[in-house]
Amino acid sequence: MESDKKLLIDKHIEFIVNYGKTHDQYEYEVSDYLRMSGLYWSVTFLDLVNSLEKFNKDDIVAYLKRNQHSSGGFSPCDGHDPHLLYSLSAVQIAIIYDVLHEIDCEKLIDYIVGLQKEDGSFAGDCWGEIDTRFSFCAVATLSFLNALNRIDQEKAISFVLSCMNYDGGFGCLPGTESHAGQIYCCVGFLSILNRLHMVNVDLLGWWLSERQLPSGGLNGRPEKLQDVCYSWWVIASLKMIGKLEWINTEKLKEYIVSCQDEETGGFSDRPGNMPDPFHTLFAFTGLSLIKAYPDMIKDVNPVFCMPQYVIDRAGLKPQLL
Amino acid sequence: MHGRLKVRTTEEQAERKRLEREKKLKAYKYAMSECLLRIKNKQFDETGQKLSEQVLASNPDIQTLWNLRKKNVEFFEQSACEEDTIKILTEICLKKNPKSYPTWYHRQWCLLRSNSRKLGEKNENLNWKNELNLCSKFLNQDERNFHCWRHRFFVVAHGNLEKKNELEFTSDKISSNFSNYSSWHYRNKLIEELYYQNQIDNEIFKNELNLIENAVYTDPNDQSAWIYQKWLLLEHQKSIIKELVLDCKNREISIHFTKEIDLNKNFKFDENGWRLEEKIWKTGSNDDQSELNKLFENLTRSRHSKSSGFPIELLLDLNDEKNLYEFKSKFKMRDLTLDSEILSNHFGNMMELNQFENENSKWCMLKLVELMGIMDFDKYKENIFSYLDKLADQVDPYRKNYYLDIKCKLKENNS
């Protein structure tokens, strides 16, 4: 139980709360373009460790409102263009704070519906880039807005299934290589639309379990290095298809804990690297999913990557096998 | 932040760095605010182009700036020459970050735009081969860069480039480094496609098994070729048809496919008749054998269909000429993978490799389990179970529960 003592929760909270203030200002400012997602990572982390009050709710609500565009979509920060990625992050934040009524949901629904293409795929924004990540963003956001019936679900499903590969995984477009992050998006997408039975569970589960390396950490593709964020993409997918027991979660826990920065707080991708909020969130959601510190970390939902109580409160029940 | 080592610095170094950063931050903030102002005011000009270029060269992931550049291109109806300068910028940015989503996409957007303009002006086509060279260059730096592979698919598709050359390309990539799952993946896609188009024949499978054997002899612990082998030997044994329902009364057959089928591609029926496993047959109420045979005869004589799209369920009305089409290639593929001589040869080689590895190679054992299952489950039952136990308990305990689950399943399915 030695590793139980080693999780420095207070330091990690401090790291997240002060990230914009103490961190290298240049680095911080030039990451403006993903700020809304950064906020989602931080808010979700704080909620999971019972510290949501560390952020000022009113400021966050104002930030959300300020970044919703007349098209209905959300931008990552002031003055930038809207995109599906940040629209999902914005709605996730709104759901965690239970302030959905503060944003214009009807306009957001129109924005997302307008991004679906003839073949069922979704563009990330008005410039037309297609990716299965955006299919996930679209249905995840619409499920929070109770508006899944507004898109052509069957076509959306066909498109995602056309990205399935011989190894049971999914790529970003038809024909492209399987990747754990993409698999998380596609399996999550099928879970939200109740179509997990379309997945080849034994094949995909096996491929995902092969992501675990001798260090206990997980990689995202064969013969790549382990990374804390992949532990989330892989185990959340395994959880959805009911095969989490196909890896060694005790070893995974040891690996994740070894990636915490004991000086500054925060987690990095691999031991000894620079910590950041992205890896800090996925370290904690990973630990939550394998129930490593149940007294310190709330349960996480594997599909939406948000606290389970929030998903329950929103009345959502994505399919799990 | 991926793969960034934490470096310790002296106070003096830190101070120098701080000043440097402060200067950079000031320049960034100025250029950024000027660009955002232009976006807000829908003001498209040379200054916006220059400033966005400056910022993107060191921060290629700022999508909004790429969007500003697209708006500029549209606003000025830029000529092909100026589009080339845009492409130069994306190359600079890709050197800075070869995994930048918005940079790769911006390049594709420009390519499509100039392609359609050139086609419109009836000029010569874009030089897609140059674009392919760019992909090869970036793949030389990182042969697993999936952004670059994705760009390669895009280039081959839009430039209508020869798939057989691409197959050659994957051969070169794989022989220079067997541990390149991305190449194996691409190879799978190419072979499936070329096979359906009758551009390659059954020889390819023998060839693929040789390639796999070379790879796993070189490094039996590398996953890449082993996973590919699973596709070659196992996935192809699954029929493409999941369920076939005959309605003899109405003279209709409905076929449910296991995956999406492009009916516009060359998908043929074997003259020798249906070669489907018994268990996937499902007949209607009137399952008189002679009636069935008559239906199949009709189907065998049938010709091409014009249906479009990607159905996964299809209803064949045998009285309707336009619904008739041919099936063939998938069944030939199945026949080959079941060629017992090739299979037992491969099995022998894997046994030998496992012995060479002191009977302790995880991947050899796992593959032997799969091969024995295909060849003759009853004969090898005990070996299969003992290998699975050994994998679970000694060789690969991290995935213990996987092996035990598979063992259970095999027992249930074969009891």
Side-chain angles (χ1 to χ4, degrees):
Chain A
M1 287 282 103
E2 202 199 340
S3 55
D4 276 8
K5 286 183 218 150
K6 280 199 288 181
L7 187 67
L8 307 169
I9 287 219
D10 292 342
K11 262 205 165 144
H12 300 310
I13 295 172
E14 204 182 312
F15 174 78
I16 291 292
V17 170
N18 294 325
Y19 190 69
K21 299 165 205 156
T22 56
H23 191 76
D24 182 321
Q25 274 302 303
Y26 176 73
E27 286 261 345
Y28 183 74
E29 296 268 353
V30 299
S31 66
D32 247 7
Y33 69 90
L34 50 72
R35 188 70 66 235
M36 188 67 82
S37 293
L39 195 54
Y40 151 73
W41 302 327
S42 304
V43 164
T44 305
F45 163 78
L46 288 177
D47 197 358
L48 284 172
V49 295
N50 301 300
S51 300
L52 197 53
E53 78 290 346
K54 301 262 181 193
F55 276 177
N56 183 318
K57 182 177 171 179
D58 294 341
D59 289 352
I60 287 177
V61 171
Y63 189 81
L64 291 182
K65 291 177 100 155
R66 213 162 68 218
N67 279 291
Q68 185 167 25
H69 288 238
S70 56
S71 64
F74 283 81
S75 52
C77 63
D78 299 338
H80 284 230
D81 290 344
H83 195 282
L84 254 184
L85 287 169
Y86 309 110
S87 301
L88 171 59
S89 295
V91 168
Q92 286 174 306
I93 296 165
I95 290 281
I96 289 176
Y97 280 105
D98 206 5
V99 291
L100 209 51
H101 55 275
E102 298 276 4
I103 62 170
D104 190 336
C105 295
E106 270 313 307
K107 266 195 171 167
L108 177 55
I109 294 168
D110 290 342
Y111 175 73
I112 298 169
V113 170
L115 292 173
Q116 189 172 28
K117 301 288 151 193
E118 188 48 38
D119 63 359
S121 65
F122 282 86
D125 63 11
C126 61
W127 297 102
E129 184 183 8
I130 306 292
D131 193 306
T132 46
R133 288 180 301 148
F134 307 148
S135 296
F136 174 76
C137 291
V139 300
T141 311
L142 289 175
S143 69
F144 285 123
L145 304 174
N146 196 18
L148 280 171
N149 58 349
R150 296 277 298 274
I151 53 163
D152 189 331
Q153 293 184 35
E154 290 312 314
K155 275 192 173 172
I157 292 164
S158 287
F159 176 75
V160 166
L161 290 177
S162 73
C163 300
M164 194 194 276
N165 288 318
Y166 71 90
D167 51 26
F170 295 84
C172 44
L173 289 172
T176 59
E177 184 183 350
S178 298
H179 176 296
Q182 225 72 40
I183 291 171
Y184 165 81
C185 289
C186 294
V187 174
F189 167 95
L190 293 170
S191 157
I192 292 168
L193 295 182
N194 237 326
R195 290 294 203 292
L196 279 181
H197 57 274
M198 304 300 276
V199 172
N200 185 339
V201 170
D202 284 349
L203 183 63
L204 178 61
W206 169 74
W207 190 88
L208 288 169
S209 75
E210 284 295 341
R211 300 305 106 240
Q212 189 165 36
L213 300 175
S215 66
L218 302 162
N219 62 16
R221 292 186 284 160
E223 304 304 330
K224 299 280 284 182
L225 292 173
Q226 61 271 50
D227 180 328
V228 160
C229 69
Y230 289 115
S231 62
W232 169 255
W233 311 125
V234 174
I235 64 172
S237 306
L238 281 170
K239 177 76 182 171
M240 287 184 246
I241 61 171
K243 298 296 178 199
L244 191 51
E245 72 275 19
W246 282 2
I247 61 159
N248 185 325
T249 51
E250 195 48 46
K251 288 282 167 194
L252 172 59
K253 175 185 163 184
E254 282 172 24
Y255 176 76
I256 295 178
V257 174
S258 77
C259 293
Q260 72 176 338
D261 191 314
E262 295 184 356
E263 288 171 356
T264 60
F267 282 75
S268 52
D269 55 352
R270 285 183 283 282
N273 284 351
M274 297 282 281
D276 61 70
F278 177 81
H279 287 93
T280 306
L281 170 68
F282 293 119
F284 273 83
T285 54
L287 291 171
S288 168
L289 204 61
I290 59 176
K291 307 218 177 293
Y293 298 89
D295 302 337
M296 299 153 104
I297 313 172
K298 288 179 192 163
D299 282 349
V300 71
N301 178 278
V303 180
F304 294 106
C305 194
M306 289 156 70
Q308 183 58 45
Y309 86 92
V310 171
I311 300 303
D312 293 340
R313 186 178 64 199
L316 297 180
K317 287 190 181 65
Q319 186 188 14
L320 301 179
L321 296 181
Chain B
M1 246 166 268
H2 285 98
R4 273 189 48 190
L5 202 67
K6 210 171 155 175
V7 200
R8 305 206 171 267
T9 46
T10 64
E11 247 172 64
E12 193 192 342
Q13 279 171 323
E15 177 60 14
R16 206 181 321 132
K17 202 162 184 191
R18 195 187 61 79
L19 288 172
E20 202 180 284
R21 293 256 152 153
E22 211 165 74
K23 208 170 135 196
K24 261 168 90 181
L25 181 60
K26 215 170 149 192
Y28 165 81
K29 277 191 162 172
Y30 167 74
M32 203 63 204
S33 64
E34 286 295 312
C35 289
L36 293 180
L37 197 65
R38 280 167 173 74
I39 293 169
K40 193 178 166 196
N41 299 333
K42 296 190 168 57
Q43 177 193 346
F44 306 113
D45 59 15
E46 200 51 39
T47 319
Q49 279 301 80
K50 280 209 175 109
L51 288 172
S52 63
E53 187 172 322
Q54 273 173 26
V55 180
L56 283 168
S58 45
N59 306 281
D61 284 332
I62 304 175
Q63 184 139 10
T64 299
L65 293 187
W66 288 116
N67 296 348
L68 170 63
R69 299 186 69 83
K70 291 188 190 78
K71 287 172 199 161
N72 270 333
V73 170
E74 285 182 342
F75 184 79
F76 289 115
E77 276 297 319
Q78 250 163 2
S79 70
C81 169
E82 281 163 315
E83 278 165 24
D84 281 342
T85 59
I86 294 164
K87 281 189 255 162
I88 290 167
L89 174 63
T90 60
E91 220 169 310
I92 293 168
C93 290
L94 289 174
K95 274 181 197 145
K96 173 91 188 162
N97 178 11
K99 294 178 177 177
S100 168
Y101 281 104
T103 309
W104 283 109
Y105 183 67
H106 189 74
R107 197 170 172 94
Q108 293 182 358
W109 185 87
C110 294
L111 284 165
L112 284 182
R113 192 169 185 278
S114 31
N115 197 39
S116 63
R117 282 162 68 101
K118 286 199 173 177
L119 287 176
E121 289 160 14
K122 299 208 167 161
N123 263 341
E124 60 185 295
N125 273 352
L126 267 184
N127 194 340
W128 290 99
K129 284 202 174 141
N130 281 346
E131 200 60 22
L132 205 59
N133 292 338
L134 174 106
C135 294
S136 302
K137 197 172 99 188
F138 276 95
L139 287 177
N140 278 338
Q141 289 164 20
D142 174 5
E143 59 187 13
R144 298 297 303 281
N145 181 345
F146 72 88
H147 299 265
C148 188
W149 282 106
R150 169 181 177 163
H151 191 63
R152 195 173 184 102
F153 303 142
F154 167 88
V155 172
V156 171
H158 287 279
N160 233 334
L161 302 180
E162 192 59 61
K163 295 270 165 76
K164 274 195 158 175
N165 294 340
E166 288 299 284
L167 194 62
E168 273 302 304
F169 175 75
T170 64
S171 300
D172 292 346
K173 278 273 156 209
I174 289 171
S175 48
S176 70
N177 179 10
F178 285 122
S179 176
N180 185 343
Y181 190 70
S182 307
S183 291
W184 292 102
H185 163 86
Y186 190 25
R187 204 169 167 79
N188 148 266
K189 296 289 170 193
L190 292 166
I191 287 179
E192 281 195 337
E193 189 170 341
L194 290 170
Y195 196 90
Y196 288 135
Q197 293 166 352
N198 286 331
Q199 290 196 49
I200 49 176
D201 59 22
N202 285 339
E203 268 306 295
I204 189 83
F205 292 96
K206 214 167 165 181
N207 180 44
E208 292 313 287
L209 273 184
N210 277 335
L211 194 63
I212 291 166
E213 286 179 3
N214 283 338
V216 301
Y217 275 120
T218 310
D219 182 0
N221 295 316
D222 193 281
Q223 303 189 346
S224 317
W226 288 121
I227 300 178
Y228 183 73
Q229 188 244 32
K230 195 177 171 86
W231 163 71
L232 195 73
L233 292 182
L234 287 178
E235 288 309 294
H236 270 168
Q237 288 197 64
K238 288 195 191 135
S239 171
I240 201 154
I241 292 175
K242 187 176 174 184
E243 189 175 73
L244 193 140
V245 185
L246 295 173
D247 180 350
C248 300
K249 234 178 240 159
N250 297 317
R251 292 180 58 73
E252 276 181 355
I253 294 180
S254 78
I255 301 170
H256 298 239
F257 296 102
T258 52
K259 59 187 247 183
E260 290 172 327
I261 305 294
D262 184 352
L263 291 178
N264 291 319
K265 281 185 187 158
N266 196 8
F267 189 57
K268 289 170 186 163
F269 180 66
D270 189 336
E271 307 75 8
N272 300 324
W274 295 89
R275 300 252 190 100
L276 299 172
E277 292 156 16
E278 286 295 323
K279 60 184 173 194
I280 63 168
W281 286 87
K282 188 174 157 189
T283 56
S285 52
N286 183 2
D287 61 353
D288 168 36
Q289 191 58 42
S290 66
E291 190 68 18
L292 287 179
N293 290 341
K294 224 187 296 167
L295 281 170
F296 295 147
E297 260 170 53
N298 274 337
L299 201 60
T300 315
R301 280 199 298 272
S302 60
R303 285 283 168 264
H304 194 245
S305 95
K306 281 307 284 176
S307 177
S308 63
F310 301 84
I312 52 170
E313 184 179 327
L314 187 80
L315 194 68
L316 267 189
D317 176 357
L318 298 177
N319 294 317
D320 188 351
E321 277 290 322
K322 73 174 189 292
N323 267 342
L324 304 177
Y325 60 101
E326 299 173 79
F327 288 94
K328 188 175 82 188
S329 47
K330 197 76 187 180
F331 300 107
K332 270 198 183 165
M333 236 165 173
R334 276 162 47 80
D335 292 346
L336 181 104
T337 58
L338 290 173
D339 182 314
S340 55
E341 198 187 322
I342 294 176
L343 209 58
S344 64
N345 205 0
H346 181 60
F347 179 67
N349 292 342
M350 292 304 101
M351 287 290 272
E352 201 180 276
L353 180 60
N354 193 36
Q355 274 163 18
F356 190 74
E357 295 287 315
N358 300 322
E359 306 273 342
N360 212 21
S361 157
K362 166 190 161 176
W363 286 92
C364 278
M365 289 166 73
L366 186 57
K367 291 299 148 175
L368 287 170
V369 165
E370 289 172 358
L371 284 166
M372 289 186 286
I374 304 174
M375 286 161 48
D376 191 340
F377 179 81
D378 287 325
K379 180 177 162 192
Y380 294 111
K381 200 159 63 183
E382 292 314 314
N383 301 45
I384 289 175
F385 293 152
S386 87
Y387 273 147
L388 285 172
D389 285 335
K390 192 172 171 187
L391 281 164
D393 297 334
Q394 299 165 32
V395 180
D396 190 22
Y398 278 16
R399 279 159 283 272
K400 183 182 178 125
N401 291 330
Y402 168 73
Y403 300 115
L404 298 180
D405 280 1
I406 291 302
K407 188 179 158 188
C408 258
K409 217 171 183 176
L410 283 172
K411 276 191 169 163
E412 267 171 36
N413 291 346
N414 292 286
S415 60

